Amino acid sequence: MSSTVRVLEHGRVLKRIETSKPDRAEVESAFRTIIRWTGDDPDRDGLVDTPARVARAFEEYFAGYGQDPALILQKTFEVIEGYDEMIVLRGIRFESHCEHHLAPITGRVWVAYIPRGRVVGISKLARVVEVYAKRLQIQEKMTAQIANTIEEILNPQGVGVIIKATHHCMSARGVHQPDTDLVTSRMLGCFRDNALTRHEFLTMVE
Ligand SMILES: [Zn+2]
């Protein structure tokens, strides 16, 4: 079955990937193959429904393809009483998957911005994080995507995004470092140019 995958970003179709998108039966068959490859029997009782379950789980993990983060932010409110101080949403939880190992990345995001005339409902900031998390990711890219989207759509005086996350490809395999987390940040506008603004934001990140 041939179809087109549209990757949406910033209100436009970023790219169209001409692909033969596999149907559910093909995906389940692929997971059966992986189970056989581990050395187990995909027909034994405990595993017989696993390929279908994993396919459904993958639909959930990767629901962010085809959702447009820019559209989420487009419903904005005008600033009430000229509010132009920092707005910070702290510790937004997310689960994502690394694009190198398909292993879980779990962590939290701190998002801050200083508006220039437009503010957005705070739940929308969490939704933007979720859409980017539900794609194959590397943490550095996800950090930049969240900041860039907020900057482009809200045109604020500045944006700061910090992500702290644990990568299961590091904690459960490879170098086996379960207690490390990776911290990434992206500062734009006054968060980059003004050390006091940046400092104020950093004091709110525990
Ligand atoms: Zn990885």
Side-chain angles (χ1 to χ4, degrees):
M1 185 176 64
S2 179
S3 68
T4 305
V5 175
R6 297 184 311 152
V7 177
L8 294 168
E9 196 165 292
H10 301 174
R12 62 183 186 272
V13 177
L14 193 63
K15 53 188 161 191
R16 283 174 199 280
I17 306 166
E18 293 300 334
T19 179
S20 54
K21 186 170 178 171
D23 61 24
R24 180 67 80 89
E26 278 179 86
V27 174
E28 291 180 15
S29 157
F31 287 127
R32 274 179 62 84
T33 303
I34 292 169
I35 291 169
R36 271 173 43 223
W37 181 71
T38 65
D40 213 319
D41 170 13
D43 292 317
R44 73 174 170 83
D45 268 1
L47 287 175
V48 73
D49 293 327
T50 296
R53 274 192 220 102
V54 179
R56 283 196 298 275
F58 266 53
E59 276 178 346
E60 212 176 298
Y61 299 156
F62 302 113
Y65 293 104
Q67 291 184 299
D68 187 351
L71 281 183
I72 294 166
L73 291 181
Q74 251 143 26
K75 194 168 173 353
T76 54
F77 306 95
E78 293 304 312
V79 171
I80 301 160
E81 303 289 340
Y83 186 90
D84 62 354
E85 299 294 326
M86 192 179 296
I87 296 168
V88 189
L89 190 59
R90 304 198 298 168
I92 306 159
R93 289 196 181 279
F94 74 93
E95 301 101 39
S96 188
H97 288 80
C98 83
E99 66 185 36
H100 300 139
H101 304 91
L102 306 187
I105 304 170
T106 55
R108 298 207 288 161
V109 186
W110 286 256
V111 177
Y113 69 104
I114 297 180
R116 192 202 319 266
R118 301 168 76 195
V119 294
V120 70
I122 48 171
S123 68
K124 310 288 194 217
L125 297 173
R127 286 276 298 125
V128 168
V129 169
E130 195 193 6
V131 168
Y132 282 123
K134 300 287 185 210
R135 297 180 181 185
L136 288 169
Q137 276 295 2
I138 56 176
Q139 185 176 326
E140 295 86 339
K141 181 173 72 178
M142 182 171 149
T143 310
Q145 285 173 328
I146 294 165
N148 294 349
T149 301
I150 293 167
E151 181 180 63
E152 281 190 37
I153 307 302
L154 296 185
N155 186 31
Q157 297 179 51
V159 184
V161 174
I162 292 177
I163 300 183
K164 294 183 182 183
T166 302
H167 292 241
H168 289 216
C169 56
M170 252 188 88
S171 57
R173 57 163 291 286
V175 293
H176 292 281
Q177 290 292 334
D179 299 323
T180 56
D181 58 9
L182 184 67
V183 183
T184 49
S185 70
R186 177 123 170 129
M187 305 286 169
L188 300 173
C190 59
F191 284 73
R192 190 184 53 214
D193 302 335
N194 186 328
L196 281 176
T197 302
R198 191 166 57 245
H199 179 73
E200 184 186 342
F201 176 41
L202 292 175
T203 60
M204 294 189 218
V205 179
E206 76 244 25

